Amino acid sequence: MVKKIEIKLLYDLLGVTAREFYYLTKNSDNLYHTFKIPKRRGGYRIISSPTNKLLEIQRIIYKKILKPNFHPSDHCVGFVHKKSIVDNVMPHLGNDYVLKIDLKDFFPSIRFQKIMRIFKQLGYSHRVSYLLTRLCCRNNILPQGAPTSPTLSNMVMKTCDYRLKIISQTYNLTYTRYADDLTFSSKECFTTEIVAQIYKVLEDSDLQINQNKTQILGPKNKKIITGISISSGCAKLPRITKRRWKQEFYLIKKYGLFQHMRNIKQILPKDVSCLQGRLSFWKMVEPDNKFIADAYKILNTVISDLSK
């Protein structure tokens, strides 16, 4: 009887009928659209986007269950309200040595049992935790593309973050994590012992390190953390990025958006959004950069022309 009451309360919380709930939990693995997007450094990222009804349910789970119970540490920056990629960089300013670690297949590495453990820790029964996990997982792993996945990944990583915090305090390191990008910085060189301890924590957490993207940078190296350069002692976009973006806005001003897009063989609506995103990101990193105001004027002219 208690179990039936618990399940009925879950129906009410999610705003579904018993039939809808049964269908969603039994068929959740098939209620996704899967596609690939290219990674910046080659290869593809697999995105699993839930269909409308499952998406709606996952948003409710996030809003009513996960969000009120998620209390990130200062070290956790990615997917955190009112924190940005700039917050991931600022703590490392002024440190001469940087250790960058990239986790391989981050979301797929978080499996069903770990998600179920989260819901049980929040006070849900074994049965309810199992059903909530069914609604948040696909093929027994955390899908990249579901609205619940970012927060669940951070909740799963809480113990790992705490252990890395202890190591950082012991050796006077600065530590931040933006999703699967881990950054450590220090005034002193990283010893083999420190790196080994960090690796051991990640291995104990069933996380794989992408060795191709893991780097230790010294005083003479360019230091770029999650796409932002700190080599000069302050947060800036890398020179090569600014040069490329400036050139693109120059070409748009010279030839007009339509001709420029024809020249580079790209589609208009997507590219206008992309340009807006680039300027917003640039302004967030370098709010006083004088070029940004000129670029916004060019972009506003483009948008005005499109509306005509």
Side-chain angles (χ1 to χ4, degrees), residues 95-113:
N95 286 344
D96 294 325
Y97 296 88
V98 173
L99 167 62
K100 294 167 53 179
I101 297 176
D102 180 85
L103 299 178
K104 188 176 181 181
D105 299 327
F106 179 55
F107 282 96
S109 70
I110 300 174
R111 306 193 69 81
F112 192 96
Q113 289 301 325

Side-chain angles (χ1 to χ4, degrees), residues 15-25 53:
V16 293
T17 63
R19 176 177 286 187
E20 287 175 325
F21 187 80
Y22 180 82
Y23 175 80
L24 288 168
T25 53
K53 189 60 182 178

Side-chain angles (χ1 to χ4, degrees), residues 237 245-246 249 272-287 289 291-300 303:
L237 286 191
W245 290 2
K246 281 183 178 180
F249 278 100
V272 171
S273 298
C274 182
L275 292 170
Q276 289 174 316
R278 286 176 181 176
L279 282 184
S280 296
F281 178 62
W282 196 347
K283 188 173 183 179
M284 181 175 64
V285 179
E286 299 180 30
N289 189 294
F291 176 80
I292 298 173
D294 293 334
Y296 266 116
K297 289 178 183 177
I298 296 170
L299 188 59
N300 289 336
I303 294 171

Side-chain angles (χ1 to χ4, degrees), residues 257-258 268-269 272-273 299-308:
L257 180 65
F258 290 98
L268 279 173
V272 171
S273 298
L299 188 59
N300 289 336
T301 301
V302 163
I303 294 171
S304 177
D305 290 344
L306 283 175
S307 65
K308 294 175 183 178

